[in-house]
Amino acid sequence: MADNKYLTVTDLNYYITQKFKNDPYLHKVFLQGELSNFRFRRNSHQYFSLKDEKSKINVVMFRSYFDKVKFKPEEGMKVYVTGYVSVYGPQGSYQFYAETMEPAGLGALYEQLKQLQAKLAKEGLFDPAHKKKLPHFPDKIAVVTSASGAVIHDIMVTANRRFPHAEIDLFPAQVQGETAADSLVRAMKQILEHADDYDVMIIGRGGGSLEDLWPFNEEEVVRQVYEMPMPVISSVGHETDTTLCDLVADQRAATPTAAAEYATPNLPDEIVNIHQLESSLLASMQSIIRQKREQLSRIQNSVIMREPARMYDQQIQTVDMLKQRLNKSILTELERSRQNLNLIKQKLISAGPDKQIIQFRQTLDFYQQRLADNMKHLLLAKRNRFNQSVQQLDDYSPLKTLNRGYTYTIDENKETVSSIKQIKAQDKLELHFKDGIAETIVTAVRGEENGNKEE
C-alpha cells in the first residue's frame, strides 16, 4: 500500500513535460547567446549549447530547420534563435528546440537582403528564362575579382590546365569594404567597352561573413551583372553562401576552380571526343559507301538496265489508253455543246424581238382605243353635269325674278335691305329693276303684322 504514493521517474518526467507544454510563455521564445560546443554534422540534426556570461542551455535544431539557415554557424558566434522549451524525457533534462537562427547584429542586413531580393525577383532579374548559355569554346574570359587574392590564381591555373587556348583578362576590383560595390561596377563597365571581345565573364571572391560578402548584394552590382551581354559565372564565398550576384548570374559556381571549369572545356576530353567523332564519322562514311555500292550493283543487275526498252512498254500502253479516253471525252463534250447550242437557238427564236414588237403594238392599240373611249365618256359626263349646273343657275337666278316685276333694294352701305327694320325715313335707297336702277328717298316706314298696318 505504501508504494502507491511513490511516482516513477517516467511519470515525473511526463508531468514536468506537460507543465512545459502548457506554459504559454515557453511556446515561442526569442533567445540570444553565444554558440558553444558546436560541431557541424552534415545531413543530420545539430546539437549545441547557447551561453552568456553566467549560464548556458542545451539546444537541439532538427535538420529540417537547420537546412533553412542562410549562414555557416561557427563556435563562439553570437546568434539570435527562436523556438520553444521542452523536456527530453529519457534523460530528464529540459532543453531549447531551435527553429530559426541568424547572426546577432546582422538582423537588419538580413532583412534588407530579403527585401531587395523580393524586389529584384518581382522585376524578373532572377527568372531562369533570362539565363544565357555558356559558350563551349571561349576565346577570351574576363575576370572581376581582387588582384591580390587567390581567386584569380585558381581560375588561371584551372583554365590553363583545361583549355590553354582561352585568354584570361583580369579587371581588378575591391571585393570588400564600403567602396567595393562602386569598384565592382566600374570594372564591369570597363568590360562593356570591349564587350564583343569576351565570350564569358567570371565575378567572385573567397569566403567570408555576411558583411564581407555584402558588396555582392548591393543593388547596383546585381543590376550591372544582369545587364552584361555575355554569360556571367558567379563564384562568391563558399558553397553555403548565397548572394544576389549568385542568383542573377547565368551560372553559379561553388569555388573559383569550379567557375573556371564551367567557363572552359577540358581539352584532353575534347580531343578524345574528337577522335571518337572522327572514328564514328569514318565508320558512317564507310557504311554509306558500302550501301551505295550495293544499291548500284542491284541497279546494274536489274532487268531495266539490261533491257531498258521494257521500262517503256507499260507507259506506252498507258499513253494509248489515255489517248482513247481523251478522244472519247472530246467527242462527248462536243455533242453536249452542240445540243446546248440548239437549245439556246430555240430559246432565242421563241424570245425573238419581232413577236414582242407585234404583241406590244397590239397592246398599244388596245390601250389607245380604251383611252379614246374613256375620253368620250368623260366629256359626255362633264357636258351633262355642265348643263345641269347651268339649269340650276338659271333656276336660282335673281334675273328671272326681276323679269316677273320684282326688285331688290340696297342701302347706302351697299347692303341688301330685306326688312323695314333696316331703314328709316329719309334714307337713300337703290331699287334694282331688270333693266336699270332707281334711286329713292324713304318718306315713311310702315310695318305689317297679321295683316294690320303699323307706322
Side-chain angles (χ1 to χ4, degrees), residues 144 174-176 184 203-205 212-218 221-222 234 236 243-246:
V144 179
Q174 297 180 21
V175 294
Q176 184 173 337
L184 291 169
I203 183 171
R205 60 152 289 161
D212 296 337
L213 303 180
W214 191 255
F216 296 89
N217 291 319
E218 294 286 358
V221 176
V222 178
S234 175
V236 180
T243 64
L244 298 185
C245 274
D246 295 329

Side-chain angles (χ1 to χ4, degrees), residues 138-267:
D139 293 322
K140 297 183 70 174
I141 302 173
V143 180
V144 179
T145 187
S146 172
S148 59
V151 173
I152 184 61
H153 176 267
D154 293 343
I155 291 175
M156 293 186 69
V157 169
T158 304
N160 289 331
R161 173 176 52 83
R162 290 171 56 85
F163 192 62
H165 169 77
E167 178 182 337
I168 309 296
D169 290 345
L170 171 65
F171 291 83
Q174 297 180 21
V175 294
Q176 184 173 337
E178 296 181 356
T179 60
D182 293 336
S183 178
L184 291 169
V185 172
R186 282 196 303 272
M188 285 187 280
K189 288 184 176 180
Q190 290 177 3
I191 297 174
L192 278 178
E193 295 176 358
H194 309 280
D196 294 338
D197 296 337
Y198 294 100
D199 302 306
V200 67
M201 185 189 88
I202 300 175
I203 183 171
R205 60 152 289 161
S209 64
L210 180 62
E211 295 99 325
D212 296 337
L213 303 180
W214 191 255
F216 296 89
N217 291 319
E218 294 286 358
E219 183 173 358
E220 59 267 28
V221 176
V222 178
R223 291 190 181 277
Q224 188 60 55
V225 171
Y226 180 77
E227 295 295 333
M228 298 305 289
M230 72 285 295
V232 178
I233 302 173
S234 175
S235 175
V236 180
H238 299 298
E239 185 176 0
T240 56
D241 301 319
T242 302
T243 64
L244 298 185
C245 274
D246 295 329
L247 299 179
V248 76
D250 302 293
Q251 179 68 52
R252 190 222 171 174
T255 62
T257 300
E261 291 175 351
Y262 281 127
T264 58
N266 188 15
L267 187 57

Side-chain angles (χ1 to χ4, degrees), residues 174-401:
Q174 297 180 21
V175 294
Q176 184 173 337
E178 296 181 356
T179 60
D182 293 336
S183 178
L184 291 169
V185 172
R186 282 196 303 272
M188 285 187 280
K189 288 184 176 180
Q190 290 177 3
I191 297 174
L192 278 178
E193 295 176 358
H194 309 280
D196 294 338
D197 296 337
Y198 294 100
D199 302 306
V200 67
M201 185 189 88
I202 300 175
I203 183 171
R205 60 152 289 161
S209 64
L210 180 62
E211 295 99 325
D212 296 337
L213 303 180
W214 191 255
F216 296 89
N217 291 319
E218 294 286 358
E219 183 173 358
E220 59 267 28
V221 176
V222 178
R223 291 190 181 277
Q224 188 60 55
V225 171
Y226 180 77
E227 295 295 333
M228 298 305 289
M230 72 285 295
V232 178
I233 302 173
S234 175
S235 175
V236 180
H238 299 298
E239 185 176 0
T240 56
D241 301 319
T242 302
T243 64
L244 298 185
C245 274
D246 295 329
L247 299 179
V248 76
D250 302 293
Q251 179 68 52
R252 190 222 171 174
T255 62
T257 300
E261 291 175 351
Y262 281 127
T264 58
N266 188 15
L267 187 57
D269 293 341
E270 296 299 327
I271 293 175
V272 171
N273 290 334
I274 291 174
H275 289 321
Q276 291 177 349
L277 291 173
E278 182 181 7
S279 300
S280 177
L281 178 61
L282 180 60
S284 298
M285 292 176 62
Q286 291 174 347
S287 175
I288 293 173
I289 292 173
R290 184 172 57 257
Q291 292 175 3
K292 296 301 181 182
R293 283 177 177 171
E294 293 175 355
Q295 291 178 3
L296 178 60
S297 177
R298 287 196 298 269
I299 292 173
Q300 289 175 341
N301 295 325
S302 64
V303 177
I304 297 299
M305 296 302 295
R306 293 198 305 269
E307 300 180 20
R310 294 180 58 182
M311 183 172 59
Y312 305 103
D313 293 345
Q314 186 175 356
Q315 282 71 15
I316 292 173
Q317 185 178 358
T318 302
V319 169
D320 290 338
M321 293 177 61
L322 291 175
K323 282 183 179 180
Q324 294 176 4
R325 289 176 58 185
L326 178 60
N327 292 332
K328 185 178 180 180
S329 298
I330 292 175
L331 294 175
T332 303
E333 185 63 27
L334 286 174
E335 182 63 25
R336 185 183 298 110
S337 299
R338 187 178 294 108
Q339 293 176 359
N340 290 336
L341 178 61
N342 294 332
L343 180 62
I344 292 172
K345 285 182 178 180
Q346 293 297 326
K347 290 182 177 179
L348 286 175
I349 294 173
S350 301
D354 296 338
K355 291 186 177 181
Q356 291 185 356
I357 290 173
I358 295 172
Q359 184 177 359
F360 287 150
R361 284 179 177 175
Q362 292 175 351
T363 303
L364 178 63
D365 294 340
F366 172 75
Y367 283 123
Q368 284 179 343
Q369 185 62 39
R370 285 189 61 185
L371 178 61
D373 295 341
N374 289 336
M375 289 179 65
K376 289 179 181 180
H377 289 302
L378 179 62
L379 288 174
L380 180 60
K382 295 293 183 181
R383 186 177 292 111
N384 291 336
R385 288 188 61 185
F386 176 73
N387 292 333
Q388 290 177 1
S389 299
V390 169
Q391 185 62 41
Q392 288 179 353
L393 287 173
D394 185 63
D395 292 342
Y396 293 110
S397 175
L399 296 177
K400 296 186 70 173
T401 304

